[in-house]
Amino acid sequence: MFSKIAIIGSGNVGCWLYHVLTQKLAPQTVIESVPARDLSRLTSDADLYIFTVKDDFYEEVLQKIPFRMPMAAHTSGSLPQEILAPYTQNYGVFYPFQTISKSLLEQQYFPEVPLCIEGNNEQTTQQLLSLAHTVSDAVYPMNSEQRQQLHLAAVFASNFSNALFNMAKKILGGSGIPFEILYSLIDQTVAKIKVMCPADAQTGPAQREDHSIMQKHVAQLDEEQLKKIYQLMSEYIIEQKKKKE
Amino acid sequence: MFSKIAIIGSGNVGCWLYHVLTQKLAPQTVIESVPARDLSRLTSDADLYIFTVKDDFYEEVLQKIPFRMPMAAHTSGSLPQEILAPYTQNYGVFYPFQTISKSLLEQQYFPEVPLCIEGNNEQTTQQLLSLAHTVSDAVYPMNSEQRQQLHLAAVFASNFSNALFNMAKKILGGSGIPFEILYSLIDQTVAKIKVMCPADAQTGPAQREDHSIMQKHVAQLDEEQLKKIYQLMSEYIIEQKKKKE
């Protein structure tokens, strides 16, 4: 296994990875965290370099690495593994499929972060898979195309649903109703899709095609953007229902 | 307290209410379930009539009740309590704030369904509140305006997020990636908004204003409707971020 791993980048993913590798690997394994904007501390003696930088920033950071790396991985859901090819012979992907906020690391929300793994050759793939298994029980070998699909699905399932929760909070606004009243409903919404298909779990005015309520709701919203989102989401729900029938 | 309660309607809410009242009330309390489309079985000896029908259907059902009721409540998030005024002197609202599917009742997903209660006079309010407390620990006295705001917030937080989960499932489609891989991400998305404001929990390409990824994502989507939803949701996230800054 690896005796020294360098993590480049100290954003949400970088901090999480440092945190979890330090906890889970044998104490003799050295884990080093290096900020992407100051690579002066980066040494050439690691067996594995894991990059956790913004997608747009990868090229710039990689070009600054002053030595050829024995093995490197990136953590992006969207980039192909080949972006690492000019800098090492052994490269791959170590993509944590989770929404990570570094302020919450200590609270241990992550009993199991699914890790999506790819390598450019058998040995690299095996070594990254083996590292992944020490960190998580949910390890998925996955090619670039699959990873891109998954990343896109995640935007809908996580980023956009979080944005909806934000909209709901704003709608409650100054009504005197605490946001916490939504917790049980949201928990149940999530519990349902684990035992039935989301299409079968759909409820609400659009699912019932209750147009009078939908019109009232749109009138109640005071932001143009929210009105549009309401209409578009409702149209989607109605269309899906018709497709099912 | 009530000696006999009649529940009119046997949809999702009606079935749930029958289930939960039968479980939680003293065995000597009679709970009767009557389908809204066949009221011939409805007797005039109940102390409380709870209506659980579709919003559009209330007027029609109420007009068919062949006697004046001592007390009645509806279970709608959107209708004012006054729709019951022509049919009884004591009326109110018993609104379960939850997404309920009758097929899941037996699985006991509902340790605590928030109940939003309103009455047209002090005595009715107190009796409905007291009934609510026997069923749930999360009881909220709430006027019609608040209830409408809450219902609208619920559409965003629950109905629309469920629709997003459905979109995510379709995006994974034939990729060979199981839908289950999303569970941990969705759980974490929900866990985060309970410890921080959704605006602070926001992650993803729109939050990072990573336009190259967003463009790729839109190109990857093959349905016009999903492209529009992607763009609209992303614009919302970017705008909220700017407002915060």
Side-chain angles (χ1 to χ4, degrees), chain B residues 37-234:
Chain B
R37 294 193 184 275
D38 175 18
L39 294 171
S40 62
R41 272 171 41 210
L42 193 70
T43 55
S44 62
D45 59 344
D47 324 291
L48 173 64
Y49 293 80
I50 306 182
F51 292 83
T52 67
V53 304
K54 279 192 192 186
D55 284 10
D56 288 347
F57 199 43
Y58 264 98
E59 204 53 42
E60 189 184 329
V61 172
L62 285 167
Q63 281 171 1
K64 284 189 193 146
I65 306 292
F67 47 84
R68 200 161 167 80
M69 297 173 284
M71 188 179 287
H74 74 62
T75 49
S76 159
S78 303
L79 296 174
Q81 60 177 348
E82 284 73 24
I83 58 157
L84 297 164
Y87 310 98
T88 173
Q89 266 197 303
N90 304 297
Y91 53 84
V93 178
F94 199 90
Y95 170 47
F97 185 61
Q98 188 50 277
T99 170
I100 293 168
S101 298
K102 50 181 168 178
S103 62
L104 297 180
L105 289 186
E106 292 309 321
Q107 298 179 43
Q108 301 277 352
Y109 271 114
F110 310 105
E112 197 137 301
V113 172
L115 291 172
C116 307
I117 303 301
E118 186 180 12
N120 78 314
N121 56 47
E122 185 57 26
Q123 197 209 343
T124 304
T125 307
Q126 285 313 322
Q127 285 197 268
L128 293 177
L129 280 172
S130 150
L131 181 66
H133 279 294
T134 60
V135 169
S136 168
D137 289 336
V139 176
Y140 297 83
M142 196 173 287
N143 66 34
S144 288
E145 199 189 329
Q146 288 175 311
R147 195 173 61 252
Q148 280 173 27
Q149 263 179 290
L150 182 61
H151 185 230
L152 180 55
V155 170
F156 281 83
S158 171
N159 303 152
F160 291 171
S161 61
N162 183 74
L164 289 177
F165 301 150
N166 195 25
M167 294 172 206
K169 187 169 182 172
K170 279 175 199 297
I171 289 164
L172 291 185
S175 66
I177 306 167
F179 182 58
E180 292 71 31
I181 196 175
L182 290 169
Y183 289 177
S184 149
L185 174 69
I186 292 172
D187 285 343
Q188 175 62 9
T189 306
V190 170
K192 275 165 73 179
I193 58 155
K194 294 182 185 172
V195 290
M196 65 208 287
C197 170
D200 295 330
Q202 192 64 57
T203 58
Q207 181 67 13
R208 292 193 302 273
E209 293 193 63
D210 191 336
H211 292 282
S212 63
I213 297 256
M214 286 158 66
Q215 276 165 14
K216 259 202 261 177
H217 276 170
V218 171
Q220 232 176 299
L221 290 164
D222 49 12
E223 282 185 51
E224 210 45 52
Q225 228 176 358
L226 292 189
K227 284 181 199 281
K228 270 195 210 161
I229 288 169
Y230 190 101
Q231 281 160 331
L232 209 49
M233 296 294 290
S234 297

Side-chain angles (χ1 to χ4, degrees), chain A residues 23-42:
Chain A
Q23 281 192 329
K24 299 274 182 106
L25 294 189
Q28 61 268 34
T29 313
V30 180
I31 319 288
E32 197 172 65
S33 167
V34 181
R37 294 193 183 277
D38 175 19
L39 294 170
S40 61
R41 273 170 41 209
L42 193 71

